[in-house]
């Protein structure tokens, strides 16, 4: 069998050789002796793990001796191989289309002019009418209320600046325009110059402040944004809002991320909330608003730890619903227009005044709440047993039974449970004493553990060891 295959291949080589010799001899350009010395350059495209096999044959010998040359092509390679009596075989384990790299380079070299107002994810106020409606819904007066005129109003991502102009017309004395896109900064600076000091324009990302001083815009620290704000106490008798924030949550996947970060900052009482009771009036998707107000025990798919945290420490009030098409410029009609909700988020001053959750316990409570609501159909007794081994019967003191699911409890219910099991002697055993003591030592100004809590909530991580906490402390 093997001998037959060898004879067949040898016959093929001899046939090819005779055809080529006859062709070149008939034209009088070359002879068979010149074929062996004639070479051409073959350029191979760069690709990892390519193998170039050049198989050459001696036409002068009867058995057509073959030589195999193998070269690994990790970069652009030039080979000189015989022109006629050479066969090149490309064997590629991960094939790359020819000229793929050149097409990519040519595409990236082009500069495309992007207009933020035409993106479907845009959430800018584009008309003076919508800006006037927004101010009316928030303050319910023909002019901005006296309390708001004395406090700082932050317009987050004002874009063209229609809301800033409307606030000036209503009598606002201090407006800070915090814009993330550099395209709008020239117009905002011009508006600030013509406002007699009532408007300040800043190139910054309000929802993602930097933790490093002297950072490059739009990454600025929180202190730069609130440098003119005097911290106010959380007083229940006369609650004051040192800052009123107007804007919209970022669209897409960042909406959930920043909505979660905002309520955590409220529980930690850091970032903006270290200056007092800061009220936020934000446009958001209808899905996000429904998730914030979703009650426990119903539609467990939408009831999450985010729902429990917002209902625990914040008043969530729907002010207005506006079609999403009002926030971007579109030349084509939208088939299924959605609505954006203007939602007022006011911190519950009495919650913090009564000291229901100490600042040093906020990190641990958020971690506890996330773990309890990762799966809302899990038995409550089994979850408590994991947190306080041997003390899961404590749920009976709160009138819960063996059939109670974790998705049936509100944020307030979990806070009462947390304060009860935190006092038992086995509370910190499952997570390790080092992790528990580290959380107890940290105050609200330490932000090293927010990334860890993000990973726990998004990925559903249920075990956190000392190595993770050491890495976070060293970062």
């Amino acid at each position: 069998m093997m001998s037959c295959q060898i004879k067949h291949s040898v016959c093929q080589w001899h046939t090819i050789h005779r055809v080529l010799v006859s062709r070149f001899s008939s034209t009088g350009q070359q002879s068979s002796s010149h074929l062996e010395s004639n070479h051409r350059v073959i350029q191979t495209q760069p690709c990892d793990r390519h193998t170039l096999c050049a198989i050459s044959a001696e036409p002068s010998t009867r058995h057509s001796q073959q030589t195999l040359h193998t070269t690994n092509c990790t970069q652009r390679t030039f080979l000189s191989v015989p022109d006629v009596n050479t066969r090149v075989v490309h064997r590629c384990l991960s094939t790359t289309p020819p000229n793929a790299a050149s097409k990519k380079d040519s595409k990236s070299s082009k500069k495309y002019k992007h207009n933020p107002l035409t993106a479907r994810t845009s959430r800018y106020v584009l008309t003076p009418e919508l800006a006037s409606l927004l101010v009316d819904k928030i303050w319910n007066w023909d002019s901005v209320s006296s309390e708001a005129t004395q406090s700082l109003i932050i317009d987050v991502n004002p874009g063209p600046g229609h809301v800033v102009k409307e606030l000036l017309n209503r009598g606002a004395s201090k407006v800070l325009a915090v814009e993330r896109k550099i395209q709008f900064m020239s117009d905002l600076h011009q508006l600030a110059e013509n406002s007699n000091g009532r408007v300040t324009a800043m190139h910054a990302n309000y929802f993602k402040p930097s933790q490093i001083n002297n950072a490059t815009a739009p990454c600025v620290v929180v202190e730069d944004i609130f440098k003119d704000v005097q911290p106010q106490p959380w007083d229940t008798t006369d609650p004051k809002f040192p800052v009123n924030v107007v804007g919209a949550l970022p669209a897409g996947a960042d909406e959930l991320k920043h909505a979660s970060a905002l309520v955590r900052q409220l529980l930690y009482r850091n970032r903006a909330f270290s200056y007092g009771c800061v009220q936020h009036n934000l446009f958001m998707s209808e899905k996000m608003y429904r998730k914030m107000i979703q009650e426990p025990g119903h539609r467990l798919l939408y009831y999450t730890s985010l729902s429990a945290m917002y209902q625990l420490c914040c008043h969530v009030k729907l002010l207005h619903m506006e079609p999403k098409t009002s926030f971007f410029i579109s030349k084509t009609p939208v088939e299924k227009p959605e609505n954006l909700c203007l939602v007022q988020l006011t911190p519950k001053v009495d919650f913090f005044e009564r000291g229901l959750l100490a600042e040093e316990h906020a990190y641990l409570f958020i971690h506890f709440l996330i773990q309890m609501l990762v799966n809302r159909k899990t038995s409550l007794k089994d979850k408590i047993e994991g947190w306080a081994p041997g003390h899961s019967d404590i749920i009976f003191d709160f009138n819960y039974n063996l059939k109670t699911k974790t998705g049936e409890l509100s944020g307030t219910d979990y806070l009462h449970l947390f304060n009860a099991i935190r006092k038992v002697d086995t509370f910190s055993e499952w997570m390790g004493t080092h992790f528990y003591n580290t959380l107890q030592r940290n105050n609200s100004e330490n932000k090293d553990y927010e990334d860890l809590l993000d990973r726990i909530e998004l990925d559903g991580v249920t075990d956190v060891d000392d190595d993770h906490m050491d890495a976070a402390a060293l970062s």
Side-chain angles (χ1 to χ4, degrees):
M1 181 71 178
M2 185 65 68
S3 61
C4 294
Q5 292 179 351
I6 295 174
K7 290 181 180 180
H8 180 68
S9 61
V10 171
C11 292
Q12 286 183 340
W13 279 105
H14 278 285
T15 303
I16 295 173
H17 178 66
R18 286 196 300 269
V19 171
L20 292 173
V21 170
S22 62
R23 187 185 64 175
F24 281 94
S25 61
S26 62
T27 57
Q29 296 178 358
Q30 288 183 344
S31 62
S32 61
S33 61
H34 293 152
L35 293 176
E36 299 177 4
S37 61
N38 188 22
H39 292 73
R40 63 189 176 93
V41 177
I42 295 181
Q43 178 180 344
T44 61
Q45 296 294 334
C47 182
D48 294 337
R49 298 192 300 174
H50 273 159
T51 303
L52 182 66
C53 301
I55 305 175
S56 62
E58 294 283 349
S60 59
T61 59
R62 180 175 179 82
H63 297 288
S64 184
Q65 299 176 356
Q66 299 182 4
T67 307
L68 181 66
H69 305 284
T70 304
T71 305
N72 290 327
C73 301
T74 57
Q75 57 184 0
R76 189 175 296 273
T77 308
F78 295 90
L79 296 177
S80 178
V81 297
D83 186 22
V84 178
N85 54 349
T86 300
R87 182 176 59 183
V88 178
V89 180
H90 265 159
R91 182 176 300 169
C92 181
L93 297 180
S94 58
T95 307
T96 302
N99 299 328
S102 61
K103 290 182 179 180
K104 183 178 180 180
D105 295 338
S106 62
K107 184 177 181 179
S108 60
S109 62
K110 297 180 180 179
K111 294 183 179 179
Y112 295 95
K113 293 184 179 180
H114 173 65
N115 185 2
L117 301 180
T118 60
R120 293 295 178 94
T121 57
S122 172
R123 292 183 176 179
Y124 291 105
V125 177
L126 301 181
T127 60
E129 292 77 15
L130 181 58
S132 177
L133 177 64
L134 184 148
V135 174
D136 288 336
K137 293 294 182 180
I138 295 175
W139 285 284
N140 294 322
W141 294 96
D142 294 335
S143 60
V144 178
S145 62
S146 58
E147 178 183 345
T149 56
Q150 300 301 323
S151 62
L152 174 65
I153 301 178
I154 298 180
D155 189 2
V156 179
N157 298 329
H162 293 297
V163 177
V164 178
K165 297 176 183 177
E166 185 65 26
L167 290 172
L168 292 177
N169 295 334
R170 299 291 185 96
S173 59
K174 293 184 293 184
V175 179
L176 175 61
V178 182
E179 176 55 52
R180 183 172 61 93
K181 297 288 186 180
I182 191 65
Q183 293 94 322
F184 300 108
M185 290 309 300
S186 59
D187 294 336
L188 292 176
H189 282 301
Q190 185 66 30
L191 181 61
E193 292 177 0
N194 300 330
S195 64
N196 297 325
R198 298 164 62 191
V199 176
T200 303
M202 177 181 293
H203 184 209
N205 189 347
Y206 176 84
F207 292 104
K208 194 176 181 181
S210 175
Q211 301 175 17
I212 303 175
N213 291 324
N214 300 323
T216 304
C219 298
V220 297
V221 294
V222 178
E223 289 76 13
D224 291 341
I225 300 177
F226 295 89
K227 60 182 178 181
D228 297 330
V229 179
Q230 295 295 329
Q232 299 289 338
W234 293 72
D235 191 1
T236 55
T237 58
D238 186 19
K240 295 181 179 180
F241 304 110
V243 179
N244 286 271
V245 180
V246 181
L249 285 174
D254 289 340
E255 184 179 45
L256 175 60
K257 177 181 177 181
H258 291 299
S260 178
L262 188 64
V263 71
R264 288 178 185 175
Q265 293 164 17
L266 177 57
L267 289 172
Y268 302 151
R269 273 157 283 181
N270 63 8
R271 303 278 178 91
F273 299 101
S274 62
Y275 294 87
C277 184
V278 178
Q279 186 183 78
H280 288 75
N281 304 274
L282 303 174
F283 279 105
M284 64 185 68
S285 65
E286 189 173 356
K287 180 180 179 181
M288 178 57 61
Y289 168 68
R290 299 300 178 189
K291 182 174 292 187
M292 286 182 179
I293 64 172
Q294 181 61 50
E295 296 292 336
H298 305 282
R299 304 183 68 183
L300 298 182
L301 180 64
Y302 299 98
Y303 179 69
T304 63
S305 58
L306 182 74
S307 312
M309 285 188 285
Y310 268 104
Q311 296 171 25
L312 174 65
C313 63
C314 196
H315 295 288
V316 182
K317 181 180 179 181
L318 178 63
L319 300 180
H320 179 66
M321 296 183 69
E322 183 72 17
K324 190 176 179 180
T325 53
S326 302
F327 297 87
F328 63 88
I329 302 173
S330 177
K331 297 181 180 179
T332 59
V334 181
E335 296 181 357
K336 296 181 179 179
E338 300 177 357
N339 293 324
L340 289 184
C341 301
L342 178 60
V343 180
Q344 188 174 77
L345 304 174
T346 307
K348 294 181 179 179
V349 183
D350 56 342
F351 171 79
F352 298 98
E353 182 69 19
R354 289 184 293 170
L356 299 179
L357 179 63
E359 294 184 30
E360 60 269 18
H361 298 153
Y363 283 100
L364 191 56
F365 171 71
I366 292 176
H367 177 56
F368 167 77
L369 189 59
I370 291 173
Q371 288 293 321
M372 298 298 290
L373 293 175
V374 167
N375 188 347
R376 275 80 71 187
K377 295 183 180 180
T378 307
S379 172
L380 177 64
K381 188 176 185 300
D382 295 341
K383 278 289 189 178
I384 297 298
E385 180 66 26
W387 277 82
H391 294 82
S392 60
D393 294 341
I394 199 173
I395 66 171
F396 301 122
D397 298 339
F398 295 90
N399 298 324
Y400 302 126
N401 52 48
L402 297 177
K403 295 183 179 181
T404 304
K405 306 299 181 183
T406 56
E408 298 175 3
L409 275 69
S410 65
T412 304
D413 298 333
Y414 276 117
L415 181 60
H416 295 325
L417 265 178
F418 172 78
N419 288 330
I421 66 174
R422 187 172 52 83
K423 300 175 183 179
V424 303
D425 53 354
T426 61
F427 176 66
S428 63
E429 288 184 1
W430 72 274
M431 69 181 82
T433 306
H434 174 68
F435 174 71
Y436 179 72
N437 293 337
T438 304
L439 285 176
Q440 292 287 77
R441 288 195 305 266
N442 273 272
N443 54 31
S444 60
E445 296 180 354
N446 194 331
K447 319 211 178 39
D448 294 332
Y449 299 101
E450 293 189 23
D451 293 337
L452 177 63
L453 293 174
D454 284 335
R455 186 177 65 85
I456 292 171
E457 182 175 21
L458 297 178
D459 299 338
V461 178
T462 56
D463 56 336
V464 181
D465 52 16
D466 294 346
D467 294 337
H468 285 107
M469 301 312 301
D470 291 339
L474 295 174
S475 61

PDB file of all heavy atoms in Angstrom, residues 360-382:
ATOM      1  N   GLU A 360     -19.514  52.188  60.587  1.00  0.00           N
ATOM      2  CA  GLU A 360     -18.496  51.133  60.540  1.00  0.00           C
ATOM      3  C   GLU A 360     -19.076  49.773  60.181  1.00  0.00           C
ATOM      4  O   GLU A 360     -18.345  48.845  59.858  1.00  0.00           O
ATOM      5  CB  GLU A 360     -17.760  51.043  61.883  1.00  0.00           C
ATOM      6  CG  GLU A 360     -18.641  50.726  63.075  1.00  0.00           C
ATOM      7  CD  GLU A 360     -19.182  51.969  63.752  1.00  0.00           C
ATOM      8  OE1 GLU A 360     -19.149  53.050  63.103  1.00  0.00           O
ATOM      9  OE2 GLU A 360     -19.619  51.875  64.910  1.00  0.00           O
ATOM     10  N   HIS A 361     -20.413  49.643  60.220  1.00  0.00           N
ATOM     11  CA  HIS A 361     -21.056  48.373  59.860  1.00  0.00           C
ATOM     12  C   HIS A 361     -21.659  48.385  58.461  1.00  0.00           C
ATOM     13  O   HIS A 361     -22.226  47.385  58.028  1.00  0.00           O
ATOM     14  CB  HIS A 361     -22.165  48.041  60.872  1.00  0.00           C
ATOM     15  CG  HIS A 361     -21.667  47.847  62.264  1.00  0.00           C
ATOM     16  ND1 HIS A 361     -22.459  48.073  63.376  1.00  0.00           N
ATOM     17  CD2 HIS A 361     -20.457  47.460  62.737  1.00  0.00           C
ATOM     18  CE1 HIS A 361     -21.754  47.838  64.472  1.00  0.00           C
ATOM     19  NE2 HIS A 361     -20.539  47.460  64.103  1.00  0.00           N
ATOM     20  N   ALA A 362     -21.542  49.515  57.758  1.00  0.00           N
ATOM     21  CA  ALA A 362     -22.203  49.637  56.455  1.00  0.00           C
ATOM     22  C   ALA A 362     -21.630  48.658  55.440  1.00  0.00           C
ATOM     23  O   ALA A 362     -22.376  48.008  54.697  1.00  0.00           O
ATOM     24  CB  ALA A 362     -22.077  51.067  55.937  1.00  0.00           C
ATOM     25  N   TYR A 363     -20.288  48.518  55.382  1.00  0.00           N
ATOM     26  CA  TYR A 363     -19.684  47.602  54.424  1.00  0.00           C
ATOM     27  C   TYR A 363     -20.164  46.176  54.657  1.00  0.00           C
ATOM     28  O   TYR A 363     -20.523  45.464  53.719  1.00  0.00           O
ATOM     29  CB  TYR A 363     -18.158  47.649  54.533  1.00  0.00           C
ATOM     30  CG  TYR A 363     -17.531  48.850  53.905  1.00  0.00           C
ATOM     31  CD1 TYR A 363     -17.136  49.938  54.676  1.00  0.00           C
ATOM     32  CD2 TYR A 363     -17.332  48.919  52.530  1.00  0.00           C
ATOM     33  CE1 TYR A 363     -16.557  51.041  54.104  1.00  0.00           C
ATOM     34  CE2 TYR A 363     -16.754  50.028  51.945  1.00  0.00           C
ATOM     35  CZ  TYR A 363     -16.361  51.090  52.737  1.00  0.00           C
ATOM     36  OH  TYR A 363     -15.788  52.193  52.158  1.00  0.00           O
ATOM     37  N   LEU A 364     -20.151  45.769  55.912  1.00  0.00           N
ATOM     38  CA  LEU A 364     -20.529  44.394  56.236  1.00  0.00           C
ATOM     39  C   LEU A 364     -22.010  44.154  55.974  1.00  0.00           C
ATOM     40  O   LEU A 364     -22.409  43.082  55.499  1.00  0.00           O
ATOM     41  CB  LEU A 364     -20.198  44.104  57.695  1.00  0.00           C
ATOM     42  CG  LEU A 364     -20.295  42.636  58.131  1.00  0.00           C
ATOM     43  CD1 LEU A 364     -19.407  41.758  57.270  1.00  0.00           C
ATOM     44  CD2 LEU A 364     -19.924  42.487  59.595  1.00  0.00           C
ATOM     45  N   PHE A 365     -22.858  45.137  56.251  1.00  0.00           N
ATOM     46  CA  PHE A 365     -24.284  44.958  56.008  1.00  0.00           C
ATOM     47  C   PHE A 365     -24.584  44.837  54.517  1.00  0.00           C
ATOM     48  O   PHE A 365     -25.415  44.021  54.106  1.00  0.00           O
ATOM     49  CB  PHE A 365     -25.071  46.125  56.610  1.00  0.00           C
ATOM     50  CG  PHE A 365     -26.521  46.129  56.224  1.00  0.00           C
ATOM     51  CD1 PHE A 365     -27.396  45.174  56.728  1.00  0.00           C
ATOM     52  CD2 PHE A 365     -27.021  47.077  55.324  1.00  0.00           C
ATOM     53  CE1 PHE A 365     -28.739  45.162  56.355  1.00  0.00           C
ATOM     54  CE2 PHE A 365     -28.345  47.072  54.954  1.00  0.00           C
ATOM     55  CZ  PHE A 365     -29.208  46.110  55.477  1.00  0.00           C
ATOM     56  N   ILE A 366     -23.945  45.665  53.694  1.00  0.00           N
ATOM     57  CA  ILE A 366     -24.175  45.568  52.246  1.00  0.00           C
ATOM     58  C   ILE A 366     -23.731  44.205  51.738  1.00  0.00           C
ATOM     59  O   ILE A 366     -24.412  43.582  50.908  1.00  0.00           O
ATOM     60  CB  ILE A 366     -23.432  46.703  51.524  1.00  0.00           C
ATOM     61  CG1 ILE A 366     -24.077  48.041  51.882  1.00  0.00           C
ATOM     62  CG2 ILE A 366     -23.437  46.494  50.012  1.00  0.00           C
ATOM     63  CD1 ILE A 366     -23.367  49.242  51.306  1.00  0.00           C
ATOM     64  N   HIS A 367     -22.601  43.718  52.231  1.00  0.00           N
ATOM     65  CA  HIS A 367     -22.147  42.378  51.844  1.00  0.00           C
ATOM     66  C   HIS A 367     -23.159  41.324  52.290  1.00  0.00           C
ATOM     67  O   HIS A 367     -23.481  40.397  51.543  1.00  0.00           O
ATOM     68  CB  HIS A 367     -20.779  42.112  52.481  1.00  0.00           C
ATOM     69  CG  HIS A 367     -20.246  40.744  52.216  1.00  0.00           C
ATOM     70  ND1 HIS A 367     -20.075  40.244  50.942  1.00  0.00           N
ATOM     71  CD2 HIS A 367     -19.858  39.760  53.061  1.00  0.00           C
ATOM     72  CE1 HIS A 367     -19.593  39.021  51.015  1.00  0.00           C
ATOM     73  NE2 HIS A 367     -19.460  38.706  52.286  1.00  0.00           N
ATOM     74  N   PHE A 368     -23.707  41.470  53.478  1.00  0.00           N
ATOM     75  CA  PHE A 368     -24.717  40.548  53.997  1.00  0.00           C
ATOM     76  C   PHE A 368     -25.983  40.590  53.134  1.00  0.00           C
ATOM     77  O   PHE A 368     -26.543  39.546  52.759  1.00  0.00           O
ATOM     78  CB  PHE A 368     -25.033  40.931  55.446  1.00  0.00           C
ATOM     79  CG  PHE A 368     -26.265  40.272  56.017  1.00  0.00           C
ATOM     80  CD1 PHE A 368     -26.239  38.956  56.438  1.00  0.00           C
ATOM     81  CD2 PHE A 368     -27.457  40.979  56.138  1.00  0.00           C
ATOM     82  CE1 PHE A 368     -27.381  38.349  56.966  1.00  0.00           C
ATOM     83  CE2 PHE A 368     -28.586  40.389  56.664  1.00  0.00           C
ATOM     84  CZ  PHE A 368     -28.545  39.064  57.079  1.00  0.00           C
ATOM     85  N   LEU A 369     -26.431  41.783  52.775  1.00  0.00           N
ATOM     86  CA  LEU A 369     -27.659  41.928  51.995  1.00  0.00           C
ATOM     87  C   LEU A 369     -27.496  41.353  50.590  1.00  0.00           C
ATOM     88  O   LEU A 369     -28.405  40.685  50.065  1.00  0.00           O
ATOM     89  CB  LEU A 369     -28.037  43.410  51.922  1.00  0.00           C
ATOM     90  CG  LEU A 369     -29.410  43.750  51.335  1.00  0.00           C
ATOM     91  CD1 LEU A 369     -30.508  43.088  52.140  1.00  0.00           C
ATOM     92  CD2 LEU A 369     -29.603  45.262  51.296  1.00  0.00           C
ATOM     93  N   ILE A 370     -26.344  41.570  49.973  1.00  0.00           N
ATOM     94  CA  ILE A 370     -26.102  41.035  48.633  1.00  0.00           C
ATOM     95  C   ILE A 370     -26.111  39.514  48.659  1.00  0.00           C
ATOM     96  O   ILE A 370     -26.710  38.862  47.793  1.00  0.00           O
ATOM     97  CB  ILE A 370     -24.770  41.573  48.085  1.00  0.00           C
ATOM     98  CG1 ILE A 370     -24.882  43.069  47.797  1.00  0.00           C
ATOM     99  CG2 ILE A 370     -24.364  40.832  46.815  1.00  0.00           C
ATOM    100  CD1 ILE A 370     -23.573  43.711  47.409  1.00  0.00           C
ATOM    101  N   GLN A 371     -25.467  38.937  49.669  1.00  0.00           N
ATOM    102  CA  GLN A 371     -25.404  37.481  49.764  1.00  0.00           C
ATOM    103  C   GLN A 371     -26.786  36.871  50.006  1.00  0.00           C
ATOM    104  O   GLN A 371     -27.113  35.828  49.442  1.00  0.00           O
ATOM    105  CB  GLN A 371     -24.462  37.078  50.904  1.00  0.00           C
ATOM    106  CG  GLN A 371     -22.991  37.321  50.611  1.00  0.00           C
ATOM    107  CD  GLN A 371     -22.506  36.420  49.503  1.00  0.00           C
ATOM    108  OE1 GLN A 371     -22.889  35.270  49.425  1.00  0.00           O
ATOM    109  NE2 GLN A 371     -21.665  36.947  48.635  1.00  0.00           N
ATOM    110  N   MET A 372     -27.594  37.528  50.782  1.00  0.00           N
ATOM    111  CA  MET A 372     -28.916  36.991  51.082  1.00  0.00           C
ATOM    112  C   MET A 372     -29.835  37.020  49.867  1.00  0.00           C
ATOM    113  O   MET A 372     -30.722  36.174  49.730  1.00  0.00           O
ATOM    114  CB  MET A 372     -29.559  37.786  52.222  1.00  0.00           C
ATOM    115  CG  MET A 372     -28.803  37.712  53.539  1.00  0.00           C
ATOM    116  SD  MET A 372     -28.689  36.039  54.215  1.00  0.00           S
ATOM    117  CE  MET A 372     -30.373  35.756  54.694  1.00  0.00           C
ATOM    118  N   LEU A 373     -29.633  37.976  48.957  1.00  0.00           N
ATOM    119  CA  LEU A 373     -30.536  38.140  47.821  1.00  0.00           C
ATOM    120  C   LEU A 373     -29.911  37.729  46.493  1.00  0.00           C
ATOM    121  O   LEU A 373     -30.431  38.079  45.435  1.00  0.00           O
ATOM    122  CB  LEU A 373     -31.007  39.594  47.738  1.00  0.00           C
ATOM    123  CG  LEU A 373     -31.907  40.046  48.888  1.00  0.00           C
ATOM    124  CD1 LEU A 373     -32.231  41.525  48.784  1.00  0.00           C
ATOM    125  CD2 LEU A 373     -33.188  39.233  48.934  1.00  0.00           C
ATOM    126  N   VAL A 374     -28.815  36.988  46.525  1.00  0.00           N
ATOM    127  CA  VAL A 374     -28.274  36.442  45.278  1.00  0.00           C
ATOM    128  C   VAL A 374     -29.282  35.488  44.659  1.00  0.00           C
ATOM    129  O   VAL A 374     -29.553  35.521  43.459  1.00  0.00           O
ATOM    130  CB  VAL A 374     -26.924  35.745  45.534  1.00  0.00           C
ATOM    131  CG1 VAL A 374     -26.507  34.911  44.330  1.00  0.00           C
ATOM    132  CG2 VAL A 374     -25.854  36.775  45.828  1.00  0.00           C
ATOM    133  N   ASN A 375     -29.860  34.628  45.494  1.00  0.00           N
ATOM    134  CA  ASN A 375     -30.936  33.731  45.060  1.00  0.00           C
ATOM    135  C   ASN A 375     -32.133  33.981  45.966  1.00  0.00           C
ATOM    136  O   ASN A 375     -32.097  33.654  47.156  1.00  0.00           O
ATOM    137  CB  ASN A 375     -30.486  32.272  45.136  1.00  0.00           C
ATOM    138  CG  ASN A 375     -31.490  31.302  44.524  1.00  0.00           C
ATOM    139  OD1 ASN A 375     -32.633  31.676  44.245  1.00  0.00           O
ATOM    140  ND2 ASN A 375     -31.087  30.068  44.314  1.00  0.00           N
ATOM    141  N   ARG A 376     -33.183  34.585  45.400  1.00  0.00           N
ATOM    142  CA  ARG A 376     -34.326  34.992  46.222  1.00  0.00           C
ATOM    143  C   ARG A 376     -35.258  33.853  46.589  1.00  0.00           C
ATOM    144  O   ARG A 376     -36.220  34.055  47.323  1.00  0.00           O
ATOM    145  CB  ARG A 376     -35.126  36.076  45.483  1.00  0.00           C
ATOM    146  CG  ARG A 376     -34.594  37.480  45.678  1.00  0.00           C
ATOM    147  CD  ARG A 376     -33.412  37.785  44.816  1.00  0.00           C
ATOM    148  NE  ARG A 376     -33.778  37.909  43.415  1.00  0.00           N
ATOM    149  CZ  ARG A 376     -32.895  38.048  42.437  1.00  0.00           C
ATOM    150  NH1 ARG A 376     -31.602  38.043  42.709  1.00  0.00           N
ATOM    151  NH2 ARG A 376     -33.287  38.157  41.183  1.00  0.00           N
ATOM    152  N   LYS A 377     -35.015  32.639  46.096  1.00  0.00           N
ATOM    153  CA  LYS A 377     -35.868  31.499  46.411  1.00  0.00           C
ATOM    154  C   LYS A 377     -35.220  30.529  47.388  1.00  0.00           C
ATOM    155  O   LYS A 377     -35.710  29.432  47.611  1.00  0.00           O
ATOM    156  CB  LYS A 377     -36.242  30.763  45.128  1.00  0.00           C
ATOM    157  CG  LYS A 377     -37.097  31.602  44.174  1.00  0.00           C
ATOM    158  CD  LYS A 377     -37.501  30.813  42.946  1.00  0.00           C
ATOM    159  CE  LYS A 377     -38.349  31.653  41.997  1.00  0.00           C
ATOM    160  NZ  LYS A 377     -38.761  30.884  40.789  1.00  0.00           N
ATOM    161  N   THR A 378     -34.098  30.935  47.974  1.00  0.00           N
ATOM    162  CA  THR A 378     -33.397  30.098  48.938  1.00  0.00           C
ATOM    163  C   THR A 378     -34.060  30.206  50.308  1.00  0.00           C
ATOM    164  O   THR A 378     -34.631  31.246  50.658  1.00  0.00           O
ATOM    165  CB  THR A 378     -31.919  30.513  49.032  1.00  0.00           C
ATOM    166  OG1 THR A 378     -31.353  30.512  47.727  1.00  0.00           O
ATOM    167  CG2 THR A 378     -31.133  29.573  49.921  1.00  0.00           C
ATOM    168  N   SER A 379     -33.972  29.142  51.078  1.00  0.00           N
ATOM    169  CA  SER A 379     -34.530  29.148  52.427  1.00  0.00           C
ATOM    170  C   SER A 379     -33.789  30.154  53.296  1.00  0.00           C
ATOM    171  O   SER A 379     -32.554  30.194  53.332  1.00  0.00           O
ATOM    172  CB  SER A 379     -34.424  27.751  53.039  1.00  0.00           C
ATOM    173  OG  SER A 379     -34.787  27.775  54.411  1.00  0.00           O
ATOM    174  N   LEU A 380     -34.548  30.979  54.021  1.00  0.00           N
ATOM    175  CA  LEU A 380     -33.943  31.976  54.895  1.00  0.00           C
ATOM    176  C   LEU A 380     -33.148  31.324  56.018  1.00  0.00           C
ATOM    177  O   LEU A 380     -32.063  31.797  56.381  1.00  0.00           O
ATOM    178  CB  LEU A 380     -35.038  32.882  55.465  1.00  0.00           C
ATOM    179  CG  LEU A 380     -34.584  33.947  56.457  1.00  0.00           C
ATOM    180  CD1 LEU A 380     -33.664  34.960  55.789  1.00  0.00           C
ATOM    181  CD2 LEU A 380     -35.795  34.654  57.087  1.00  0.00           C
ATOM    182  N   LYS A 381     -33.649  30.223  56.553  1.00  0.00           N
ATOM    183  CA  LYS A 381     -32.963  29.540  57.654  1.00  0.00           C
ATOM    184  C   LYS A 381     -31.594  29.025  57.223  1.00  0.00           C
ATOM    185  O   LYS A 381     -30.611  29.119  57.977  1.00  0.00           O
ATOM    186  CB  LYS A 381     -33.819  28.382  58.168  1.00  0.00           C
ATOM    187  CG  LYS A 381     -33.294  27.716  59.433  1.00  0.00           C
ATOM    188  CD  LYS A 381     -34.249  26.649  59.924  1.00  0.00           C
ATOM    189  CE  LYS A 381     -33.786  26.082  61.261  1.00  0.00           C
ATOM    190  NZ  LYS A 381     -32.442  25.467  61.167  1.00  0.00           N
ATOM    191  N   ASP A 382     -31.514  28.498  55.991  1.00  0.00           N
ATOM    192  CA  ASP A 382     -30.227  27.989  55.511  1.00  0.00           C
ATOM    193  C   ASP A 382     -29.223  29.118  55.325  1.00  0.00           C
ATOM    194  O   ASP A 382     -28.026  28.949  55.604  1.00  0.00           O
ATOM    195  CB  ASP A 382     -30.429  27.239  54.190  1.00  0.00           C
ATOM    196  CG  ASP A 382     -31.273  25.985  54.361  1.00  0.00           C
ATOM    197  OD1 ASP A 382     -31.386  25.497  55.506  1.00  0.00           O
ATOM    198  OD2 ASP A 382     -31.830  25.494  53.353  1.00  0.00           O
TER     199      ASP A 382
END
